[in-house]
């Protein structure tokens, strides 16, 4: 029998540690998306590189952000 521990929900107008962790994870993902957007719109177009290198950098940044998202969200429940 597979028993998983459940975290009780926090009462109204209060946050427990699990809620705080979820908020921090969401903020980290939002910050990662904002940084990736900034890099794609402000930094990459101004680099003196070829289109291939710019595409490779964009792909690497997107892959890193996706890995961060997977690491933060954990297994699907």
């Amino acid at each position: 029998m597979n028993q998983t521990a459940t975290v009780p929900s926090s009462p109204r107008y209060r946050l427990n540690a699990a809620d705080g962790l979820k908020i921090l994870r969401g903020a980290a993902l939002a910050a990662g998306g904002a940084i990736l957007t900034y890099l794609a719109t402000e930094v990459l177009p101004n680099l003196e590189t070829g289109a291939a290198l710019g595409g490779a950098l964009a792909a690497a940044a997107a892959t890193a952000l996706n890995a961060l998202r997977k690491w933060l969200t954990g297994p699907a429940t």
Side-chain angles (χ1 to χ4, degrees):
M1 183 186 232
N2 185 8
Q3 294 180 343
T4 58
T6 58
V7 177
S9 59
S10 57
R12 191 174 196 177
Y13 304 119
R14 293 181 188 248
L15 297 174
N16 59 20
D19 292 333
L21 192 57
K22 287 180 184 179
I23 291 168
L24 287 176
R25 285 178 179 167
L29 290 173
I35 291 169
L36 188 58
T37 301
Y38 173 77
L39 290 174
T41 58
E42 299 294 328
V43 176
L44 283 178
N46 297 323
L47 291 179
E48 297 291 331
T49 61
L53 182 58
L57 289 174
T63 302
L65 185 59
N66 189 40
L68 175 66
R69 181 186 62 83
K70 286 289 203 180
W71 181 68
L72 286 174
T73 56
T77 55

